[in-house]
Amino acid sequence: MINIRNQSLDGFPKDDCQNYVANGEVGIVDFIYSKNKKVGNFNPDDNYHRIRFTSQPSHTYMWKSSVNDEGYSDLELAYALTVHKAQGSEFNKVILIIAEPCNLLSKEMLYTAITRQKDKLIILYNAEAYNLRSYSSMEYSDIARRFTNLFEKPDIVEHNNRFYEANLIHKTIRGELVRSKSEVIIANMLFERGIHYEYEKELTFDGDGIKVPDFTITVAGRDEPIYWEHCGMMSNVEYRRRWEAKRADYERHSIVEGHNLIVSEENDSFGSQKIAALIDEYDLGW
């Protein structure tokens, strides 16, 4: 497979340029015409590759170029592509290779990588798979670290030696980044009431792997913690399905709503009063 590095139609007969070819298109060299073999209007002193691009399978192009990974060739090998070069393309099967530590990896880049496949995605990763979920946080967002407002001075906040646009992140009074404004409200009310909590603390279940509740709350006088899950997208069928599976895992390990599991949902009635009522109902603190 080959990939267009630089779009160049030098040497093309006009009748061979009927379709548009863009940088980054991927295709296959299905024939190579060697020197001294006259082909159409092409110079017999040059090599030409006959190329069929995946975006135009019914059309072929003659390309005066070598195919390599160095120099200034228009074409380069595409047995493997970076995420950036794969952007905008789709493949039936994708093998994604991720190695930690990776300073270039971000929330947006990972999303782009995993959405290139149509049928199957295989991830080769040198760490535990659950570590990838951390990239869903705005802490790893490239967009949140861009200061591109042309009309007013950006409101910049610092978190873990990184700088973010305040309007693009959700930061609690205690200083952690959370996933939604609703979680900010929950965290701030717990903090203001002096209730000890940990955000997204991993919980290991024998036989059911690792789960990550939104909040793990320690209450004086209780031997076990209370877990709080805020469900923000229950109108989404897939989101609801995943939540029901997670709830079932909790129940198998004696974490039950009404006892040691608080569940709140995003709806018209959700707000500070609802959170306060749940805190009082579960006797978390004053």
Side-chain angles (χ1 to χ4, degrees), residues 216-247:
T216 300
I217 300 168
T218 303
V219 180
R222 296 189 62 150
D223 295 332
E224 60 182 8
I226 291 179
Y227 304 98
W228 190 321
E229 290 279 12
H230 181 68
C231 301
M233 298 173 58
M234 293 296 275
S235 60
N236 181 287
V237 175
E238 180 60 22
Y239 180 96
R240 181 179 288 274
R241 184 196 66 78
R242 291 197 303 268
W243 162 241
E244 294 299 340
K246 189 176 185 181
R247 186 204 295 268

Side-chain angles (χ1 to χ4, degrees), residues 184-235:
V184 170
I185 298 172
I186 296 171
N188 288 347
M189 290 196 71
L190 292 173
F191 178 77
E192 288 171 344
R193 291 197 177 201
I195 301 169
H196 177 74
Y197 73 87
E198 294 177 85
Y199 182 67
E200 293 194 339
K201 180 183 179 181
E202 293 174 357
L203 182 61
T204 302
F205 291 146
D206 292 337
D208 284 317
I210 295 174
K211 306 299 175 185
V212 185
D214 293 328
F215 299 92
T216 300
I217 300 168
T218 303
V219 180
R222 296 189 62 150
D223 295 332
E224 60 182 8
I226 291 179
Y227 304 98
W228 190 321
E229 290 279 12
H230 181 68
C231 301
M233 298 173 58
M234 293 296 275
S235 60

Side-chain angles (χ1 to χ4, degrees), residues 41-79:
N41 298 323
F42 293 96
N43 188 337
D45 294 329
D46 295 317
N47 284 329
Y48 287 91
H49 295 76
R50 189 174 71 192
I51 301 169
R52 193 181 303 273
F53 293 105
T54 55
S55 63
Q56 305 167 46
S58 62
H59 185 73
T60 58
Y61 288 90
M62 296 292 290
W63 210 281
K64 176 186 172 182
S65 175
S66 60
V67 179
N68 58 62
D69 286 327
E70 298 178 356
Y72 296 96
S73 172
D74 291 343
L75 307 177
E76 62 183 354
L77 297 175
Y79 53 84

